[in-house]
Amino acid sequence: MTYLMGIDLGSTSLKAVVYDWRDGRAVASGSVPNAKVHPYPEHPDWAVWLPEAIWDGVCQAVRTALSRLDDPRQIRGVAVTGMGMDGLPVDEQGQALYPFISWHDPRTGPQLYWWQRYVGVERTFSIGGNPVWLINSALRILWMKVNEPELMARCDKWLLIEDYVNFLLCGRQVTDYSMASCTMLFDQRKLDWSEELLELSGIDRRLLCMVQPSGTILGEVTSRAAQATGLPEGTPVILGGHDHLCGALPVGAFRPGVLLNVTGTWEMVLTATLGPVLDPRLRTIGATVQAHVARGKHTVWCGNVAAEMLEWYRKQFGAAVRRPAASDEAASWEELMAEAASVPPGSRGVLFLPHLVGASCPVVDPKSQGAFVGLRGVTGAADLLRAIIEGLAYQARHMVNAMEETLGVTMDRFVSVGGATRNSLWMQNKADVLGRPIEVPEIEEATPLGAAILAGIGLGLYRDEEDAYQRVYRPGRTFFPDKALAKQYADWFAIYRDLYAALAPIHHRLFDQIHA
């Protein structure tokens, strides 16, 4: 048998999944929890990923997956996918000099304000398609230059998290177009580093890796990596890409007109384009223009934090919905969803503004904060939970509407992947709020499968993305909107859209007094 492996570096887990290249079916997998740490007592909100923990977790996940195969030599190739902006400096020997600064970490505020003033948001978007966010890689590099100058003097390369794992696997320091797009230093038209943005920012080009297309063969698993992971020495390592774009490959979301909804820690809506659409109106809604992992394609996407809102509720209030005989620990997801389902649509008049970590799209406001509105004396914990689910669905509709209006298109197919697709209540509610059918393919772990597809393209097992899609795609369940509920939700959505503007002055005052 011939198999392909996709390694997925996620915020909550590190996964290795083995697929049969002929039909995309998962045959083995391993997963290890991933956890950010807060190692600086004087800065409790600073969050990092420890490089040794990332590599150890990857090795453990790969070994677990391989243990379920008859012969590890059945792995024909491996590719890595995962988070976008998080990177770290390494010295000339490739040793990590500092942890990965997590996308949760707010420390780059001064660099963000500097960038806005001296580089400018308009110029940044017109070249690279990036909103200016705290999490952009360029701002982390600038923070390191100011705050860790001795370490940066020893820095040979800045490696994004996938590139670091690839380097440990095969010894090559290369990034792909989709990952380079996350740095705020990439020229989308030239598909190379922007000399203008590098000059304006003062970032030395030598710190940045060579950029190549996803699906490029990087090298082979080294003897050291083979000993650590169990992968046979000499196994080809192929360049993967950004997680949500890898997830687009097995469901056909490299075709224009298809809208992909990826729901996990973050919720993203994206569509492929035939080139970089650097329309300034997209900048105003917080959209990102990014090179796709599919060759010759770009993408436009919007995103906001999503499932982390439900995780926050589960940790803070989950014990309140557990059965009386259960322990005091937070409720399981099954218990939570059953409780939410007991509440009628509309959450008994409670609305939730899902801005616990600010707002990214189509409202762009890092000072916005979360809020429950419409509380009464009879409001219960389950009402709040249902309101969170509905608030996330309203947020998704807001992103879809803004993207369609700005691009001047109406998407003809909605496909959804990610952990939330296993949640029938959430998916049905989203279909009702959007008023459109949502297709959930029977795909096992779309993101690592997309990485495996890129490995297969690089190795010549697939002619291209379309060939791979035709082989691996499997229809699943489609959630159709309830027409009566869709009409009601359209009315409630109109109220939801007014929440941000009504609360923004209060949230800004609170933010400036407490969090600034």
Side-chain angles (χ1 to χ4, degrees):
M1 297 295 291
T2 296
Y3 298 135
L4 298 168
M5 176 179 282
I7 296 174
D8 183 8
L9 312 177
S11 296
T12 57
S13 64
L14 305 168
K15 301 174 185 174
V17 188
V18 178
Y19 298 93
D20 187 327
W21 75 276
R22 298 169 301 177
D23 57 12
R25 293 186 184 274
V27 297
S29 65
S31 180
V32 174
N34 191 19
K36 63 184 182 296
V37 297
H38 303 270
Y40 310 104
E42 66 277 20
H43 298 289
D45 55 345
W46 289 11
V48 301
W49 314 102
L50 299 177
E52 61 273 19
I54 295 293
W55 177 240
D56 288 347
V58 166
C59 293
Q60 184 178 339
V62 171
R63 287 195 300 267
T64 299
L66 294 178
S67 71
R68 294 164 179 162
L69 299 180
D70 294 333
D71 186 350
R73 290 174 296 182
Q74 295 172 315
I75 302 294
R76 180 76 176 274
V78 59
V80 181
T81 182
M83 298 176 279
M85 288 80 170
D86 299 354
L88 85 177
V90 299
D91 62 18
E92 290 184 352
Q93 287 73 46
Q95 295 296 313
L97 299 172
Y98 197 83
F100 296 99
I101 301 174
S102 168
W103 60 266
H104 301 82
D105 193 306
R107 74 178 73 181
T108 52
Q111 286 70 41
L112 181 144
Y113 299 132
W114 179 91
W115 190 283
Q116 290 173 329
R117 180 175 180 181
Y118 293 103
V119 180
V121 295
E122 295 86 358
R123 181 176 293 177
T124 301
F125 188 86
S126 70
I127 297 172
N130 295 105
V132 181
W133 289 342
L134 283 170
I135 61 178
N136 290 118
S137 307
L139 301 184
R140 274 86 172 276
I141 296 173
L142 293 177
W143 184 91
M144 289 290 298
K145 287 178 65 176
V146 171
N147 295 277
E148 298 287 349
E150 294 182 2
L151 289 182
M152 288 304 288
R154 297 166 51 200
C155 177
D156 180 62
K157 284 288 184 289
W158 185 273
L159 298 183
L160 296 171
I161 193 166
E162 290 88 341
D163 307 330
Y164 178 72
V165 171
N166 280 331
F167 168 67
L168 294 179
L169 284 171
C170 70
R172 294 283 311 284
Q173 295 178 336
V174 180
T175 195
D176 79 285
Y177 296 157
S178 71
M179 293 298 295
S181 295
C182 300
T183 62
M184 210 160 63
L185 297 170
F186 193 63
D187 188 319
Q188 295 297 342
R189 294 184 180 89
K190 296 179 180 178
L191 293 178
D192 199 358
W193 301 115
S194 166
E195 296 294 345
E196 181 177 355
L197 292 174
L198 289 170
E199 181 178 355
L200 288 169
S201 65
I203 294 174
D204 192 336
R205 181 172 180 149
R206 71 170 180 81
L207 296 177
L208 306 176
C209 295
M210 177 192 301
V211 189
Q212 295 186 330
S214 298
T216 300
I217 296 178
L218 291 181
E220 298 178 344
V221 171
T222 65
S223 59
R224 184 174 181 179
Q227 184 176 7
T229 63
L231 287 165
E233 183 177 354
T235 302
V237 178
I238 297 89
L239 194 57
H242 203 176
D243 49 12
H244 61 285
L245 296 177
C246 285
L249 295 183
V251 300
F254 52 88
R255 299 168 166 179
V258 177
L259 186 139
L260 176 62
N261 173 229
V262 184
T263 310
T265 303
W266 278 69
E267 177 160 34
M268 297 179 180
V269 293
L270 64 94
T271 191
T273 61
L274 298 179
V277 183
L278 298 169
D279 187 326
R281 293 175 299 169
L282 289 171
R283 177 186 59 79
T284 64
I285 66 167
T288 297
V289 177
Q290 184 175 8
H292 209 297
V293 297
R295 296 200 185 196
K297 301 291 198 319
H298 276 72
T299 189
V300 176
W301 63 268
C302 295
N304 282 293
V305 175
E308 192 155 292
M309 309 287 170
L310 288 168
E311 183 63 27
W312 165 81
Y313 178 91
R314 190 178 76 90
K315 290 179 178 178
Q316 300 299 327
F317 308 109
V321 301
R322 287 189 68 88
R323 296 183 297 273
S327 71
D328 292 333
E329 296 179 359
S332 69
W333 287 111
E334 291 76 13
E335 289 173 311
L336 287 175
M337 292 306 111
E339 195 72 13
S342 70
V343 176
S347 304
R348 297 192 179 98
V350 179
L351 282 174
F352 175 65
L353 184 65
H355 293 176
L356 295 187
V357 290
S360 302
C361 178
V363 171
V364 183
D365 186 356
K367 293 184 179 181
S368 186
Q369 299 175 73
F372 289 101
V373 175
L375 302 181
R376 299 174 65 86
V378 294
T379 300
D383 300 321
L384 302 183
L385 177 58
R386 174 91 187 202
I388 292 175
I389 295 169
E390 292 180 339
L392 292 173
Y394 293 137
Q395 179 173 259
R397 175 170 175 168
H398 205 184
M399 289 192 288
V400 171
N401 288 0
M403 199 157 75
E404 287 185 326
E405 290 167 7
T406 307
L407 291 174
V409 299
T410 299
M411 304 300 169
D412 52 26
R413 180 178 170 226
F414 279 60
V415 187
S416 189
V417 298
T421 60
R422 296 188 291 271
N423 188 320
S424 296
L425 173 65
W426 193 350
M427 295 307 301
Q428 183 60 56
N429 182 250
K430 190 179 295 184
D432 293 336
V433 170
L434 287 170
R436 312 193 205 191
I438 300 177
E439 181 183 341
V440 179
E442 192 181 331
I443 299 290
E444 299 174 83
E445 300 284 5
T447 296
L449 175 55
I453 285 173
L454 290 170
I457 291 173
L459 294 167
L461 296 176
Y462 308 119
R463 292 190 305 275
D464 52 25
E465 296 85 7
E466 184 66 32
D467 179 39
Y469 167 67
Q470 294 294 337
R471 288 176 179 271
V472 309
Y473 182 76
R474 295 192 304 278
R477 179 178 179 184
T478 298
F479 292 85
F480 293 95
D482 180 294
K483 292 183 178 180
L485 271 181
K487 185 178 184 304
Q488 183 65 73
Y489 274 122
D491 295 336
W492 291 328
F493 175 66
I495 301 173
Y496 166 85
R497 290 190 64 167
D498 290 337
L499 273 186
Y500 166 73
L503 295 174
I506 296 172
H507 283 160
H508 286 190
R509 289 168 62 190
L510 285 171
F511 187 96
D512 290 340
Q513 290 190 21
I514 298 174
H515 302 291

